Amino acid sequence: MTTDIFAPRFQDEDKAREHLEALRWPEGPFCPHCGSMNATRLEGKKHRKGLVQCNDCREQFTVTVGTLFERSKVPLHKWLLVNHLLCASKKGVSAHQIHRMIGVTYKTAWFMCHRIRESMNQPTGPLGGEPSRIVEADETWVGGSVQNRANKQAAPKKIVVTLVERGGHARSFHVANVHANTLRPLLFQHADRLSTLMTDQSASYTTAGRGFWQHKTVSHKFAEYARGQWHTNTAENFFSIFKRGVIGTYHHLSAAHLHRYCAEFDFRYNTRTDTDAERADQALRGIYGKRLTYRRPSSLAS
Ligand SMILES: [Zn+2]
């Protein structure tokens, strides 16, 4: 499969639909209303391209019914191209750049990017799962800007906590603070307690650490970054990519949408051994059964 941006599925709406159909319906179309596989393609000029009719419940549908792309006026090949660009760019792509590159308005580009981030929200099972598996937890500050153009006030930085299993997956969260009461439920929900927990010496992790098989800490104060295997370098590496994306691409991240940027950076990290084409297809598998429910914000700063 060609993966450059001149591949047919990025240029031609029919080819894009065929690509989505092959991913979604490997055994042929099935009805999103009743689940029946007994469906007939409605061919001919009278019908919208890609329209299928269920022979059981008689409802009509296309491959985008029930997805984040449903009812979008943007042609499917542009959706696939934006999806590919976001999946293939380590530091992300800004809505401004999408706007300029693919010829949609800035607002449309902004909404497309957030829908694709939502499709990238594909949580896996708990991290770790046995004593030999090390889950690092650490926090960082992102996204503050000197001035917020809308109100001329300094935009505060936000805190992101990341749990990352060495050799495994990362999961990041926007948190209001790093108190033990905030971090403990996150750790218990997203990491298996049979794992080894690895953090810095912050007291915020102490009580949570008692719930794990063992809790190892490393002191950042004395530049003791690597005491053999007891380090949080995996989390630090994850943050360095996240921060380069924030600084180089997204600049100011609004608190309302930060969880979606977390999903974006987690997703690319978790699929880091995939090719760009595989990663893009994996993101497309996440468009089903999701709707964005947020209202259109007055400011589209991020
Ligand atoms: Zn049906």
Side-chain angles (χ1 to χ4, degrees):
M1 187 163 58
T2 44
T3 58
D4 61 74
I5 61 166
F6 300 106
R9 66 186 182 285
F10 303 135
Q11 308 292 322
D12 178 312
E13 187 160 21
D14 292 336
K15 290 280 188 293
R17 191 185 318 101
E18 285 163 22
H19 186 81
L20 264 189
E21 289 182 354
L23 277 178
R24 174 62 168 165
W25 296 334
E27 317 284 329
F30 69 85
C31 173
H33 306 286
C34 75
S36 170
M37 297 270 313
N38 180 12
T40 306
R41 286 180 181 278
L42 300 175
E43 315 273 357
K45 284 192 181 143
K46 270 196 305 186
H47 302 292
R48 231 173 350 130
K49 279 194 172 177
L51 198 62
V52 182
Q53 182 160 42
C54 176
N55 295 321
D56 289 324
C57 74
R58 310 302 299 168
E59 293 278 351
Q60 297 182 347
F61 56 92
T62 67
V63 73
T64 59
V65 166
T67 76
L68 290 164
F69 300 170
E70 187 173 3
R71 281 192 276 274
S72 168
K73 291 190 175 68
V74 177
L76 270 183
H77 59 285
K78 292 196 177 186
W79 273 108
L80 264 57
L81 180 54
V82 175
N83 179 67
H84 182 82
L85 292 170
L86 271 176
C87 285
S89 311
K90 206 171 182 188
K91 293 184 278 185
V93 185
S94 71
H96 275 296
Q97 187 159 358
I98 296 292
H99 154 61
R100 292 191 303 266
M101 285 171 88
I102 76 157
V104 295
T105 66
Y106 171 67
K107 271 188 185 177
T108 297
W110 188 92
F111 275 96
M112 290 177 83
C113 291
H114 272 308
R115 284 194 169 78
I116 289 163
R117 281 181 197 109
E118 196 62 30
S119 77
M120 291 172 163
N121 181 14
Q122 301 181 13
T124 46
L127 305 170
E130 49 184 276
S132 64
R133 289 162 73 172
I134 298 169
V135 178
E136 298 178 19
D138 202 0
E139 69 275 349
T140 193
W141 298 73
V142 296
S145 60
V146 178
Q147 278 201 326
N148 175 332
R149 263 170 271 156
N151 60 14
K152 301 285 182 201
Q153 285 179 347
K157 290 208 169 211
K158 290 112 195 156
I159 311 169
V160 169
V161 169
T162 293
L163 316 183
V164 54
E165 179 180 342
R166 281 192 206 160
H169 287 168
R171 219 167 288 177
S172 306
F173 308 90
H174 173 211
V175 292
N177 56 59
V178 289
H179 301 157
N181 288 344
T182 305
L183 299 183
R184 192 173 50 238
L186 274 183
L187 286 165
F188 287 170
Q189 189 183 343
H190 297 281
D192 191 302
R193 296 197 208 184
L194 265 181
S195 325
T196 292
L197 178 67
M198 185 73 227
T199 68
D200 62 25
Q201 292 183 328
S202 152
S204 311
Y205 293 107
T206 309
T207 52
R210 291 190 197 112
F212 283 83
W213 176 266
Q214 62 177 342
H215 179 199
K216 294 286 185 180
T217 60
V218 62
S219 164
H220 285 181
K221 229 184 279 172
F222 304 106
E224 187 200 22
Y225 291 114
R227 205 156 30 96
Q229 62 172 326
W230 307 125
H231 60 76
T232 53
N233 293 350
T234 319
E236 316 265 341
N237 290 342
F238 177 86
F239 287 144
S240 83
I241 301 168
F242 199 135
K243 289 188 154 187
R244 266 179 277 151
V246 171
I247 293 163
T249 309
Y250 295 127
H251 315 297
H252 167 75
L253 301 180
S254 76
H257 303 297
L258 182 50
H259 64 287
R260 288 200 197 89
Y261 293 96
C262 289
E264 176 189 342
F265 283 90
D266 285 352
F267 176 80
R268 273 194 301 263
Y269 183 83
N270 296 345
T271 55
R272 62 195 177 278
T273 59
D274 289 354
T275 64
D276 290 343
E278 287 167 345
R279 188 177 309 109
D281 280 350
Q282 188 56 36
L284 291 174
R285 291 186 185 97
I287 65 176
Y288 294 94
K290 288 176 183 161
R291 284 278 170 75
L292 277 202
T293 51
Y294 59 80
R295 295 219 182 103
R296 181 173 295 235
S298 54
S299 149
L300 297 177
S302 59

